[in-house]
């Protein structure tokens, strides 16, 4: 099946998404920081089972082709993304759907599953964290300057955004996510984890350079029945 690409107005912005497959199980793919459906989920859009699943990959506002508006990071940017994501799926007429989120998309998926439990069927997250420590801030500052990134990671993002937008948005992301560490517990969404009732699968890369494994273990411990 081919992949369709379109925009739909949600919460006052035009969100870009890609859709493929005609299965009864709808799945939303949520990209990470600076990512888009295409850059983060090209292989899944191509090869996920299209008879079992209807697959939607979205570009959060300010990312990918969901520009304008330019991306910003107010204190509630994860909640805003969670609401945009759920409202996008509802605008596309899906009554119930699963979430598959990585990195920032994983955090967004955790919040969405906790806040909209009747809409979420199943949840898969990887490379996600529910809080930000001082050690995390040190790691984030290590990627602030995009000129130091490896060519392989940098190239598709520079092609998508142009150097200036890419560099500026990465700096803004580091500032935005580091603000969580100013709270006593560094909390992003820890208090919401017990509200997640759907079957949840947590994946973590042993060599993840950005998110220490303790974050995955914390999420697993606080979502009842998660694997």
């Amino acid at each position: 099946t081919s992949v369709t690409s379109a925009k739909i107005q949600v919460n006052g912005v035009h969100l870009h998404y890609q859709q493929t497959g005609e299965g009864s199980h709808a799945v939303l793919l949520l990209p990470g920081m600076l990512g888009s459906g295409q850059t983060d989920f090209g292989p899944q859009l191509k090869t996920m089972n299209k008879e079992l699943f209807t697959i939607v990959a979205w570009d959060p506002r300010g990312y990918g082709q969901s520009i304008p508006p330019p991306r910003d990071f107010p204190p509630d940017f994860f909640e805003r993304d969670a609401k945009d994501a759920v409202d996008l799926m509802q605008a596309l007429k899906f009554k119930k759907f699963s979430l598959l989120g990585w990195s920032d998309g994983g955090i967004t998926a955790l919040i969405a599953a906790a806040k909209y439990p009747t809409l979420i069927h199943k949840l898969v997250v990887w490379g996600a964290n529910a809080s930000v420590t001082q050690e995390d801030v040190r790691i984030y500052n290590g990627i602030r300057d995009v000129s130091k990134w490896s060519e392989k990671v940098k190239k598709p993002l520079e092609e998508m955004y142009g150097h200036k937008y890419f560099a500026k948005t990465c700096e803004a992301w580091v500032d935005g996510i580091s603000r969580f560490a100013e709270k006593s517990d560094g909390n992003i969404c820890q208090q919401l984890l017990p509200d997640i009732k759907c079957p949840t699968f947590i994946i973590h890369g042993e060599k993840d350079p950005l998110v220490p494994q303790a974050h995955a273990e914390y999420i697993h411990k606080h979502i009842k029945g998660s694997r």
Side-chain angles (χ1 to χ4, degrees), residues 170-183:
C170 181
E171 286 186 15
W173 177 83
V174 171
D175 291 339
I177 197 152
S178 297
R179 270 188 226 113
F180 291 103
E182 292 164 13
K183 302 183 199 171

Side-chain angles (χ1 to χ4, degrees), residues 80-185:
R80 181 180 70 182
D81 282 351
K83 184 169 172 22
D84 282 350
V86 166
D87 291 351
L88 166 74
M89 291 301 275
Q90 292 201 292
L92 296 175
K93 306 283 185 269
F94 295 107
K95 290 186 171 57
K96 200 159 183 167
F97 47 92
S98 293
L99 301 172
L100 212 145
W102 100 271
S103 183
D104 274 13
I107 300 172
T108 301
L110 291 169
I111 293 169
K115 288 193 159 182
Y116 309 97
T118 58
L119 302 175
I120 310 306
H121 181 44
K122 293 182 174 180
L123 173 65
V124 181
V125 296
W126 68 105
N129 48 300
S131 64
V132 177
T133 67
Q134 289 304 327
E135 167 65 5
D136 294 330
V137 172
R138 194 186 62 74
I139 297 171
Y140 300 150
N141 276 308
I143 64 158
R144 177 186 287 275
D145 179 358
V146 298
S147 67
K148 295 183 177 141
W149 288 28
S150 78
E151 220 28 64
K152 182 182 167 218
V153 182
K154 189 165 63 172
K155 195 167 177 248
L157 293 168
E158 278 197 327
E159 281 169 5
M160 184 163 63
Y161 294 121
H163 178 75
K164 194 175 158 194
Y165 187 91
F166 168 45
K168 193 179 83 182
T169 308
C170 181
E171 286 186 15
W173 177 83
V174 171
D175 291 339
I177 197 152
S178 297
R179 270 188 226 113
F180 291 103
E182 292 164 13
K183 302 183 199 171
S184 59
D185 51 1

Side-chain angles (χ1 to χ4, degrees), residues 15 19 112 146:
L15 294 175
Q19 186 173 330
V146 298

